[in-house]
Amino acid sequence: MLEFSQQVINGLTLGSIYALIAIGYTMVYGIIGMINFAHGEIYMISAYIGLITITALTVQFGVENVPLILLFTLVVSILATGAYGWTIERVAYRPLRGSPRLIPLISAIGMSIFLQNYVQIGQGARDLSMQPLISGGWRFGPEAGFQIYLSYMQVLIAVVTVIFMTALTLFIARSRLGRACRACSQDLTMTNLLGIDTNRVISLTFVLGAALAAVAGVLISLYIGKINPFIGFDAGIKAFTAAVLGGIGSIPGAMLGGVILGLSESFASAYLLTEYKDVVAFSLLVLVLLFRPTGLLGKPEIEKV
Amino acid sequence: MNTFSRNVLSAAVGAVFLGLGGVAHAADTLKIAVAGPITGPVAQYGNMQMSGAQMAVEQINAQGGVNGKKLEAVLMDDVCEPKQAVAVANQIVNDKIKYVVGHLCSGSTQPASKLYEDEGILMITPAATNPDITHQGYKMVFRTIGTDDQQGPTAGNYIASQIKPKQMAVIHDKQQYGQGIAEEVKKTVEAKGFKVVLFEGVSKGQTDFSALCTKMKSANIDFVYYGGYHPELGLILRQCREQGFDAGFMGPEGVGNKDISAIAGPASEGLLVTLPADFSADPANANLVKAFKDKNQDPTGPFVMPAYAAVQIIVDAVKGAKTEDPVKLADYIRKHSFDTPIGKVAFKENGDLKEFQFVIFKWHADATKTPVK
């Protein structure tokens, strides 16, 4: 039972990160019906920005206040990564608006290759690593036997994820711009006719998706502490799976999909073999799609952004 | 003159120039390709290989080169990926380079070695340790490092005689090198009557190992052998120690690198590593070590001296056999012995070294290592 709880903690941590990235996929799909394959690279860039900012603050300027470092890094990373998201949409997707669906997809793959190489040239193709900023945690359970370990970092990941997800949900549900987003996802042309600048809404979607990926990137560089220009590919595939699992186009679906994916990976390595963790995760995806082709929460008519 | 004959003439003139150019060039230099990872997650090992090979090239050139020709090292990046390695091998074939020092990772050495064998290019790897590479019946393939069927038993015997684990786990990265050595270790300890209760593969590039750590902790594992490279083991160490899993860890020379301490930090303290003997500590190499230090390079890496030796063997063979034909050189290398920084070496029929010793080191959090008695 104790091991099981520990595996749940492990899975939830992993799942939170997947969910944060998955939202970027799902939002863009919800509004313009396109899979933004460069999204994984956005996450990778934000991990770099996070690691560089943290290193600069701690080593260069000798800042020791951890919450301050964290807050500053998050802000810098969200701003910079959001700018990347905006630029990518401007450069690679907007000129192709209205062209057949495959064209922006290819543009996205090109963007992804470009960004990977761009970071490789700028930062080198080698692993960068960093010692954990936040270490330690709580232990529960018998002194002699198996103790559950809940690290501060895991709690932080969960808390930050929940905060940003709530903020996003509120923003979509309550604000003017959020309403515009929902309108766009229902009918782009009609929304345009009603006098809403849809291009602006689409830009906003990219910025929001990038901002959440930035949060994931900062958290991962804090939690794992080792990054290279290729981490975006793997994470992107996993997050895309999570988005499809939960129902692409649905924000709660992306959250749910991420958590399910994280948990299934954890349980597969715990109770089967570590080799099978991806097999289990993707078999789950196939099974869900067989019985619910729109994903778990994918009811595009009712809930789609 | 009509167009046709003008074209033929210009083509002929071009060919003469190109041909002359080629000959003139070939007379000046003897090219040796140094193939390994210059970029990618395990580029640190590539560094060791490159610095060793380049030092050999510089020193040999400073002594006048080979038969009046200068050596030239041509660096090739295979990122330690099998498909990239084949592309690199093709490029070497197309560039008509006749000697290769490399590749580094076993997984990329094996597919490349087939091309070299087919094309009659001499290959000496200073780093790939998987036994299969020299068990393909190839004539052109050599190595200046030991093999995993020497390294595995060295590790396994040490575990069986010194550690005596009650519940042991063997983890690997599913790559040719990692899984190969993990299986050797498993075989050795099981032959000595110890039980391996967990034998599992992780993925190259995986970053989250917390589920695996929890599993090992709840299975009361008291010793872990990891077959693979440092990026994964570094994270395993760090995440497992955080969860309070305090079993001993051991790995092959693919984890013995400064970066493991950069990744794992204090968790890398006490890690056991099998490495080639530290050739830089050999008094006979004092001058060479100084030359490395003067260039601000680290001579202690496991592949530095073997790479130096590989270049030197090629050069000595060219001098000794008085030919540049790689096929004849391979024959010569098989029949003679060479004095190199890794000692006096001779080769078996299959291209392996007749003797090579792996030593067990204890790794420290500050990225230094001390030999274990």
Side-chain angles (χ1 to χ4, degrees), chain A residues 231-273:
Chain A
I231 56 169
F233 179 75
D234 215 33
I237 294 280
K238 289 282 169 60
F240 178 60
T241 311
V244 174
L245 188 65
I248 192 141
S250 149
I251 291 181
M255 301 181 194
L256 183 70
V259 170
I260 292 179
L261 195 68
L263 285 175
S264 71
E265 279 192 16
S266 248
F267 290 147
S269 20
Y271 302 112
L272 294 165
L273 282 172

Side-chain angles (χ1 to χ4, degrees), chain A residues 224-237:
Chain A
I224 301 291
K226 179 180 84 74
I227 56 175
N228 61 42
F230 317 103
I231 56 169
F233 179 75
D234 215 33
I237 294 280

Side-chain angles (χ1 to χ4, degrees), chain A residues 18 40 45 52 75 78 82 104 121 154 168 177 198 221 236-237 241 247 255-256 284 301:
Chain A
Y18 288 156
I45 287 181
I52 293 167
V75 171
I78 286 174
I121 293 168
Q154 286 171 320
L168 179 76
L177 271 171
T198 47
S221 59
I237 294 280
T241 311
M255 301 181 194
L256 183 70
L284 198 69
E301 303 82 21

Side-chain angles (χ1 to χ4, degrees), chain B residues 290-314:
Chain B
K290 193 175 166 301
F292 276 111
K293 297 242 160 97
D294 288 345
K295 278 179 73 183
N296 237 338
Q297 287 174 340
D298 178 18
T300 61
F303 309 128
V304 177
M305 298 296 181
Y308 188 103
V311 174
Q312 196 193 329
I313 288 167
I314 294 171

Side-chain angles (χ1 to χ4, degrees), chain B residues 323-343:
Chain B
T323 168
E324 287 177 15
D325 177 9
V327 179
K328 287 183 188 139
L329 291 183
D331 222 36
Y332 181 88
I333 292 174
R334 216 167 251 116
K335 291 190 181 113
H336 293 77
S337 66
F338 302 87
D339 260 322
T340 69
I342 61 169

Side-chain angles (χ1 to χ4, degrees), chain B residues 201-246:
Chain B
V202 299
S203 308
K204 187 180 166 194
Q206 189 179 334
T207 49
D208 183 88
F209 298 96
S210 49
L212 178 67
C213 293
T214 305
K215 186 179 188 177
M216 294 199 287
K217 190 171 134 193
S218 64
N220 286 320
I221 300 292
D222 59 352
F223 194 76
V224 183
Y225 185 85
Y226 179 78
Y229 297 104
H230 66 275
E232 287 79 26
L233 181 63
L235 291 177
I236 293 179
L237 279 170
R238 182 158 127 189
Q239 291 169 14
C240 284
R241 292 283 188 259
E242 256 219 350
Q243 281 195 16
F245 174 65
D246 49 11

